[in-house]
Amino acid sequence: MRLTMSTLIAAALAATFAAAPAKAAEATATSLLFENAHFNTLPDGTVLSYRYERDTVDPAKLGGAFEDDIKLTLGTPGPDGRREIVVQLFSGDRRKPAGPFSQMLGNPLVMLFLEADVNVMKELVGGNPRYLRNKIRAAFRDAGNVEATTVTVDGVEVPAERIRLKPFADDVHRAELGAFVEKTYEFVVSDKVPGSLVLLRAVTPQLAGTGEPYLEEEIRYVGAAPKG
């Protein structure tokens, strides 16, 4: 079995953010986002497209608002369903290195999104990234409630699950975390959608609780197509 550095990093991040294993047949935040196989029915060469959007009221500190594309290209699955995922994270001058990720069952966008989010908080408030990751992990375990919903994809309404987290609301380091204490994460997944992920969103409101969010980031599913 070929283990690349990206594979090892992916496994480490997934283990970091995932909570304890879920009970059989019980849909939890952890199982839906980190344990389920997200690509089972998709042929190799499938390209999954997502749209990333970022907005903030403080561009001087957080950088300007922008939108860009993310694409995942799926490799050939092995006997256990695991496969290589090639990630194109943004385009042109914004493009960032990510992967490829080998031996993947789940969608790597979840851990990429969370790890980038932790890095932003670390840079702005100087927090220990391990502490921040552990707070998110605990929220998945203790407060990651799963809510049934529906989403419309390609004009068709399909069943889905919505997960909301607020990991830092009761944090003992509220003063150090600033606006991030009120940060809310939202994830929408559906096994009827290629790649399972429909929406990933993180919203940090202003401390005053009024006006546009201090920082808002979102990844939304766009579509799937054969490799062109």
Side-chain angles (χ1 to χ4, degrees), residues 165-179:
L165 307 173
K166 202 171 180 180
F168 310 108
D170 299 319
D171 198 280
V172 296
H173 301 290
R174 288 182 63 88
E176 292 92 335
L177 289 173

Side-chain angles (χ1 to χ4, degrees), residues 5 13-14 21 23 29 67 95 105 113 132 148 154 167 194 198 202 207 223:
M5 181 60 68
L13 290 177
K23 298 177 182 178
E67 301 180 17
R95 188 162 181 175
L105 276 177
F113 182 76
L132 298 172
D154 295 330
V198 180
L207 277 175

Side-chain angles (χ1 to χ4, degrees), residues 17 26 33 41 54 184:
F17 288 114
E26 179 185 355
L33 292 171
T41 62
R54 186 180 198 272
T184 300

Side-chain angles (χ1 to χ4, degrees), residues 88-127:
Q88 179 184 319
L89 190 59
F90 308 147
S91 58
D93 293 340
R94 288 199 188 96
R95 188 162 181 175
K96 297 182 179 181
F101 299 99
S102 299
Q103 301 295 316
M104 295 296 296
L105 276 177
N107 195 317
L109 283 186
V110 179
M111 59 194 177
L112 287 172
F113 182 76
L114 289 172
E115 186 64 11
D117 183 75
V118 165
N119 286 335
V120 168
M121 289 189 285
K122 177 191 69 174
E123 291 175 6
L124 291 175
V125 300

Side-chain angles (χ1 to χ4, degrees), residues 60-74:
K61 183 178 290 186
L62 295 171
F66 74 91
E67 301 180 17
D68 211 330
D69 296 322
I70 300 173
K71 296 184 184 296
L72 307 185
T73 301
L74 309 186

Side-chain angles (χ1 to χ4, degrees), residues 46-77:
T46 297
V47 179
L48 302 177
S49 297
Y50 301 85
R51 188 67 175 173
Y52 172 88
E53 297 184 12
R54 186 180 198 272
D55 200 7
T56 177
V57 297
D58 191 357
K61 183 178 290 186
L62 295 171
F66 74 91
E67 301 180 17
D68 211 330
D69 296 322
I70 300 173
K71 296 184 184 296
L72 307 185
T73 301
L74 309 186
T76 303

